[in-house]
Amino acid sequence: MPEMKLAGPRYKYPVSDAELDRRLAAVQAELKARNLDCALAQTQSTIFDSITRYMTDTVTHAYGTTLIIPSEGKMIMVNHGVDNDNAEVPATLRNVEKLIVKPYCQPFGCTDGMAGAVVSEELNARGFKKIGLIMKQLISADTLDVVREKVNGSEFTDITKEFSYIKAVKSEEEWKLIDKAITAHKQLMDMVPAMIRPGRTESEILADIEHASRYIKCDWIGNVAVGSVPNGKGIGFFQNFQANRVIEDGDGVTVMIEVSGPGGIYCELARTFCLGEPDPELLDLYRTALEVQTLVARAAKPGVTGAELNQIYNDYVTEKGIVPNGRFVGHSQGYDMMEAPVICPQEDMEMREGMFLAIHPELVRNSQFCICCDNFRITPEGAKRVTVTDQEIFVLKV
């Protein structure tokens, strides 16, 4: 991995200057190809941080971080903090030539438009009118409203798909970070059997997993969830505010771990544990989940769309008496906990070699729930499983 000095002593796993330069060059090449002056992006979430972190290797601010990515040269960042129109750019903030800090906060209506105003000033100062928008759903209405009003003659083009293709195909340096995340998820799931015992609440198990994730240097807790149900049956998983049931002998317990590993890449892993013999219907449903996961993975070759994979999934499960997919069968992962392409009816993005996917069929039949969730790497022969945790329902002795 890169030397610590590249991003300062406080960074555990910084990416290299060369990697950040590669990412910026790829985005700028796309901007030039589409005859755009710049791209505009804004994020507020550490589970959807594949713009700020991807481009700068720094974490987005929960109050919102905005990037102007020019077709040539370094970037402009607008961030939250003490008012400063020309803040010092720290050494850790690479490929950024100007940092503007403003005291905005989403719940404070009196700060509406503050970020949009300084973005508009920067766009006007540089004569940028042809603007690519990255992930419009993440850009606040007040920011876009102000830019549309103050940048005369502005033209907007959605380049979310183009950006998503760039970041979804992982570099070798990113695959080294993925290996760390895969190992972290195995370590965490290997700890779970010791956490599950009668008398403990679901939230206590959840807290243990979150606690352990910090100790093995995971970056962010995206989705850790635990659910339980009597008689060795299958159950969905619940986040902390709902995870209040007390574990009993004979229960079935579902555990979902979706954290970003050391360096910030997310993985996803779910397994079911039984304190006693699993219900036969649960075992049969898990076999079906494993079969359809394998079927979808084999079909996930370069050139196949997410919608086509979704149809393969639906054709298989409906024959087994299971309803078609109503959400997502799987999705790419990176600095976003869930990134495009996604396996769903609407997705026209294609799989490409080097993408990193979670494939997680969630099946419901006869009041039973089962999930088979693992990570995969897209190859010319299909998606190859890179998760190293055994695929089974684990029976625990109490």
Side-chain angles (χ1 to χ4, degrees), residues 54-348:
Y54 184 79
M55 299 303 298
T56 69
D57 198 31
T58 57
V59 178
T60 196
H61 200 289
Y63 297 177
T65 299
T66 307
L67 280 178
I68 299 172
I69 308 170
S71 60
E72 290 185 355
K74 294 186 177 183
M75 295 175 284
I76 302 97
M77 177 182 283
V78 181
N79 218 353
H80 169 85
V82 177
D83 200 348
N84 191 337
D85 288 330
N86 194 21
E88 181 181 356
V89 179
T92 55
L93 191 54
R94 292 167 283 167
N95 285 339
V96 172
E97 68 175 5
K98 186 172 184 179
L99 175 61
I100 304 165
V101 179
K102 290 292 176 182
Y104 52 76
C105 184
Q106 292 100 325
F108 302 158
C110 61
T111 66
D112 282 357
M114 191 176 285
V118 293
V119 167
S120 300
E121 290 175 8
E122 294 300 317
L123 295 175
N124 284 327
R126 290 164 172 77
F128 292 167
K129 296 186 182 299
K130 296 180 179 179
I131 304 165
L133 299 178
I134 299 175
M135 299 186 192
K136 289 188 297 184
Q137 291 187 60
L138 292 176
I139 303 175
S140 66
D142 75 300
T143 297
L144 266 185
D145 286 348
V146 173
V147 172
R148 292 182 192 277
E149 176 188 350
K150 292 186 177 295
V151 181
N152 292 330
S154 56
E155 301 175 13
F156 297 92
T157 303
D158 189 342
I159 60 167
T160 300
K161 182 183 294 186
E162 289 76 12
F163 180 80
S164 295
Y165 272 128
I166 290 169
K167 69 185 178 63
V169 177
K170 304 301 188 280
S171 68
E172 285 309 306
E173 189 167 322
E174 288 167 332
W175 277 105
K176 290 178 182 178
L177 293 176
I178 288 170
D179 288 343
K180 290 181 180 295
I182 291 289
T183 299
H185 280 72
K186 174 176 169 50
Q187 290 174 329
L188 292 170
M189 196 62 80
D190 284 349
M191 298 177 194
V192 169
M195 301 174 184
I196 298 175
R197 57 183 178 272
R200 304 199 77 204
T201 64
E202 298 159 336
S203 61
E204 288 173 330
I205 298 165
L206 187 154
D208 285 347
I209 296 169
E210 291 185 352
H211 183 76
S213 74
R214 296 299 193 190
Y215 270 91
I216 62 173
K217 301 187 183 299
C218 292
D219 273 10
W220 294 105
I221 296 167
N223 178 27
V224 176
V226 178
S228 63
V229 70
N231 302 321
K233 294 182 180 294
I235 185 68
F237 35 88
F238 304 96
Q239 293 181 324
N240 189 53
F241 70 100
Q242 289 181 298
N244 197 40
R245 185 178 178 275
V246 177
I247 305 295
E248 299 175 356
D249 190 14
D251 279 359
V253 181
T254 301
V255 175
M256 164 65 76
I257 304 175
E258 196 169 10
V259 299
S260 66
I265 302 291
Y266 279 93
C267 291
E268 187 171 4
L269 178 62
R271 290 293 184 267
T272 297
F273 301 84
C274 288
L275 284 76
E277 290 303 313
D279 186 283
E281 175 68 21
L282 175 61
L283 291 173
D284 184 66
L285 193 60
Y286 181 76
R287 282 191 292 268
T288 300
L290 181 56
E291 288 167 2
V292 73
Q293 184 198 62
T294 302
L295 184 66
V296 169
R298 287 174 180 168
K301 299 178 181 180
V304 177
T305 68
E308 289 170 332
L309 293 176
N310 185 79
Q311 189 60 53
I312 290 169
Y313 168 89
N314 283 346
D315 290 345
Y316 188 84
V317 299
T318 52
E319 290 184 356
K320 304 287 186 179
I322 298 164
V323 298
N325 172 42
R327 197 176 73 99
F328 314 127
V329 175
H331 48 81
S332 179
Q333 291 194 286
Y335 294 118
D336 281 342
M337 191 173 75
M338 299 192 297
E339 69 177 23
V342 58
I343 302 174
C344 72
Q346 298 82 15
E347 183 61 275
D348 61 357

